Amino acid sequence: MVEIEVIQGDITKLKVDAIVNAANRSLLGGGGVDGAIHRAAGPELRKACIPFGGCETGEARITPGFRLLSKFVIHTPGPVYIDGLHDEPELLRNCYLNSMDLAEKNGCESIAFSAISTGVYGYPKKAATEIAVETVSKFPCQSVKKVIFCCFGDEMLKIYQEVLAGK
Ligand code: AR6
């Protein structure tokens, strides 16, 4: 079974095989964790994303990590939360599934997720965390041995800890 760890910190500092970026559909950078990842990886990251021509919500693309310590960056645009009745749960689940799939296809052993859609895109934090934890826990991992949920603040950390403890 895959090992799941929750940490609080900056995902750009992690030395793992892949970090997952909460991107937008342009894949060309933005604010939040996306901006932090592009700044830390350097301009090569944006150049590597241009040929994709964007990415649909819930899908994922992989690039090298360039100046990051992580070997790869997996970019996935999460859903903008409207009211929960616009396929948001399924789209968010797809972000985690497609990211795990790319990590597997690229032989990753460790992967760190940011809390996709829980910032600017407004997904209720606890509901998003339940989807993240459930989807990753049930994923049929082969090469991936360790999944890290990287929380940026106390509130998010507490929510992940509660969800993992089944509360
Ligand atoms: N390390 C880890 N987590 C972080 C970091 C960091 N350095 N910085 C922020 N977070 P958001 P979204 C957390 O808004 O909601 C961008 O402009 C943050 O606290 O980055 O999916 C994109 O280009 C929150 O819990 O992503 C899109 O346009 C989580 O990362 C849009 O925002 C996600 O927050 C995507 O919105």
Side-chain angles (χ1 to χ4, degrees):
M1 225 178 82
V2 70
E3 181 193 343
I4 294 181
E5 192 185 340
V6 182
I7 62 161
Q8 188 180 348
D10 179 353
I11 201 166
T12 66
K13 306 282 191 247
L14 299 184
K15 191 167 189 269
V16 286
D17 290 330
I19 62 171
V20 181
N21 181 18
N24 58 51
R25 287 186 298 157
S26 78
L27 296 190
L28 299 179
V33 70
D34 193 11
I37 290 172
H38 275 268
R39 273 193 302 279
E44 296 92 339
L45 185 62
R46 192 173 188 275
K47 280 190 205 133
C49 287
I50 291 172
F52 294 127
C55 178
E56 290 304 319
T57 302
E59 293 185 6
R61 301 287 183 269
I62 191 165
T63 64
F66 298 102
R67 296 177 202 178
L68 291 163
L69 295 172
S70 61
K71 216 181 287 175
F72 299 107
V73 178
I74 295 171
H75 309 259
T76 185
V80 175
Y81 191 85
I82 302 167
D83 55 6
L85 304 172
H86 289 77
D87 291 333
E88 296 96 327
E90 194 190 335
L91 291 167
L92 187 61
R93 188 168 299 116
N94 287 344
C95 290
Y96 286 94
L97 285 176
N98 288 320
S99 297
M100 289 297 289
D101 206 40
L102 277 178
E104 284 284 335
K105 285 193 174 121
N106 288 274
C108 296
E109 293 189 3
S110 54
I111 177 171
F113 282 94
S114 54
I116 301 160
S117 283
T118 65
V120 175
Y121 282 0
Y123 209 108
K125 294 185 176 68
K126 180 132 191 212
T129 303
E130 283 166 349
I131 289 172
V133 168
E134 197 200 345
T135 308
V136 165
S137 308
K138 288 187 179 160
F139 192 87
C141 293
Q142 293 201 307
S143 77
V144 175
K145 308 279 179 260
K146 185 172 184 175
V147 175
I148 298 171
F149 289 115
C150 181
C151 304
F152 204 49
D154 289 343
E155 189 197 1
M156 213 57 222
L157 180 71
K158 197 164 164 271
I159 293 171
Y160 264 91
Q161 286 168 340
E162 283 175 7
V163 169
L164 278 164
K167 285 183 204 160

